[in-house]
Amino acid sequence: RMGCGFGACVGCSVKTTKGFKKVCADGPVFPADEVLEEI
Amino acid sequence: MSLTDGKKADISVELSGLRLDNPIIPASGTFGFGEEFKELYDINVLGSFSFKGTTREKRFGNPTPRIAECTGGMLNSVGLANPGIDDVIAHELPELKKIFKKPVVANISGFSIDEYVYNCERIDKEDQVGIIEVNISCPNVHDGGMAFGTSAKAAAEVTRAVKAVTTKPVYMKLSPNVTDITEIAKACEEAGADGLSLINTLMGMRIDIKTGRHILANKTGGMSGPCIFPLAVRMVYQVYDAVKIPIIGMGGVSTARDVIELMYAGAAAVQVGAANLVDPYVCPKIIEELPKLCEELGIEKLTDIIGRAHNN
């Protein structure tokens, strides 16, 4: 769920092997092996 | 009613000796460090802005989902996601200096008195910081933020500790999740606060009716947006009655009319938060509309109306 949709509010963050990313600005698609989420 | 001689309304305000071109300050957490918004408009039109709540350590914040919606507003349980004070001083602030030419409001958060002191000591050395806004009201972190803001004694302790390590104006950001916000406000004033910022978000919750589960991973979150505006008006009004120090008012402001209303209640400047997420151009729009609205209402100088509702 997103707040602003353009990277300002940090609501949609995801942990990746390359650090904290925002789904709205850096994604919404990420290489699966980079994402450090528990499903 | 309108102004005589086609005069232009003066919308400048002043906070602890700092002159702002206008009362509009984007609220902490809704504006990052200005990086995203600078792509949309020249952020130097703003009076100032309050940057993201900064803690000693870098923080991812709470697990997602950490945003939910409600009628007339939203909930967030972001939980002070920020790069940490070292990074803010080494990277964010120097970058900010390149794009924003006015004093900035530094929002400092913490989980212990020590941490507030550590962060404030360091931010005190940053030239561009005009005001330190001490967040003792984040409802999304355990033992930090709001834990200090719900006790007059704890709030006073943080205020005293921070005042001892900085010469910059210290504004305590208060939580509305208390029985009597004037009690906390008075305690902060007595402890030496130069000003107060209120209100932070109200604790709320959403449940998904298809699954019976919490929408927010953190279960609760802070509610903001137009639905809380009358609460902000009431609390600013009450605190204005109780203290002499200036108040930065906020809580659901999304129009120039809201700004005027909150200033009548007692606000010397006004923060705009959630509205930025709905319409990223809301602040420049309000800044443009304010002089026209003042003219319509016969207000020559915006500072004339601060607290004027108390005369009625």
Side-chain angles (χ1 to χ4, degrees):
Chain A
R1 286 168 189 260
M2 291 182 187
C4 66
F6 63 95
C9 78
V10 209
C12 63
S13 287
V14 62
K15 290 177 183 165
T16 75
T17 54
K18 301 187 169 154
F20 305 155
K21 299 283 174 192
K22 300 167 201 168
V23 173
C24 64
D26 306 314
V29 181
F30 295 91
D33 54 4
E34 283 182 15
V35 176
L36 299 170
E37 295 282 306
E38 294 121 39
I39 307 290
Chain B
M1 252 214 281
S2 86
L3 299 183
T4 51
D5 312 328
K7 256 196 233 165
K8 253 211 137 284
D10 175 2
I11 63 169
S12 69
V13 301
E14 179 254 327
L15 290 172
S16 303
L18 226 69
R19 186 194 171 278
L20 305 181
D21 291 329
N22 59 70
I24 306 305
I25 301 174
S28 175
T30 67
F31 211 75
F33 292 87
E35 285 279 311
E36 296 79 20
F37 280 86
K38 76 165 199 286
E39 304 297 322
L40 303 176
Y41 62 84
D42 179 7
I43 63 176
N44 291 287
V45 304
L46 303 166
S48 180
F49 78 89
S50 182
F51 66 59
K52 176 71 197 193
T54 296
T55 53
R56 175 159 40 196
E57 307 301 325
K58 172 180 179 155
R59 287 177 56 85
F60 174 78
N62 286 326
T64 58
R66 51 201 203 183
I67 301 282
E69 297 191 31
C70 64
T71 305
M74 60 176 285
L75 275 72
N76 89 80
S77 58
V78 174
L80 298 175
N82 75 96
I85 189 120
D86 289 345
D87 212 72
V88 168
I89 291 177
H91 177 75
E92 312 292 342
L93 285 180
E95 285 303 304
L96 179 63
K97 205 172 217 107
K98 300 180 192 168
I99 59 172
F100 188 62
K101 305 300 177 183
K102 300 181 177 184
V104 76
V105 176
N107 184 296
I108 296 298
S109 301
F111 293 83
S112 66
I113 307 258
D114 271 349
E115 187 177 346
Y116 282 109
V117 166
Y118 177 85
N119 291 335
C120 287
E121 248 173 346
R122 298 198 57 199
I123 217 78
D124 173 62
K125 301 176 174 45
E126 300 301 309
D127 288 332
Q128 197 172 4
V129 170
I131 288 175
I132 299 180
E133 180 180 61
V134 182
N135 177 6
I136 51 169
S137 40
C138 177
N140 297 320
V141 293
H142 224 313
D143 297 333
M146 195 169 90
F148 292 98
T150 50
S151 147
K153 187 162 171 285
E157 236 188 293
V158 178
T159 307
R160 246 185 311 267
V162 165
K163 276 296 290 177
V165 299
T166 180
T167 52
K168 296 196 195 277
V170 169
Y171 280 54
M172 305 306 287
K173 184 166 177 179
L174 304 186
S175 171
N177 299 303
V178 293
T179 311
D180 181 359
I181 196 173
T182 65
E183 199 203 331
I184 318 290
K186 281 190 271 212
C188 290
E189 182 184 48
E190 265 159 56
D194 300 288
L196 301 168
S197 265
L198 56 137
I199 52 175
N200 204 319
T201 52
L202 283 136
M203 213 154 178
M205 175 189 284
R206 296 303 317 259
I207 297 168
D208 184 334
I209 63 164
K210 281 185 247 148
T211 61
R213 293 155 86 146
H214 293 280
I215 300 274
L216 298 169
N218 191 54
K219 301 197 173 94
T220 57
M223 185 169 72
S224 54
C227 59
I228 75 168
F229 182 65
L231 280 140
V233 175
R234 187 262 296 179
M235 292 200 213
V236 167
Y237 185 93
Q238 287 178 321
V239 170
Y240 184 86
D241 243 348
V243 303
K244 295 190 174 61
I245 51 181
I247 298 164
I248 304 177
M250 74 191 90
V253 174
S254 56
T255 64
R257 308 179 77 86
D258 293 339
V259 173
I260 302 269
E261 190 172 335
L262 212 49
M263 291 183 77
Y264 268 115
V270 173
Q271 291 194 16
V272 176
N276 291 297
L277 276 58
V278 172
D279 175 6
Y281 297 96
V282 68
C283 286
K285 282 183 187 169
I286 291 176
I287 291 164
E288 171 139 8
E289 210 202 311
L290 258 177
K292 299 178 200 156
L293 184 54
C294 285
E295 278 146 40
E296 250 177 71
L297 297 170
I299 300 167
E300 277 185 20
K301 198 172 185 328
L302 196 48
T303 49
D304 288 344
I305 70 166
I306 297 172
R308 209 194 259 171
H310 296 257
N311 306 338
N312 302 324

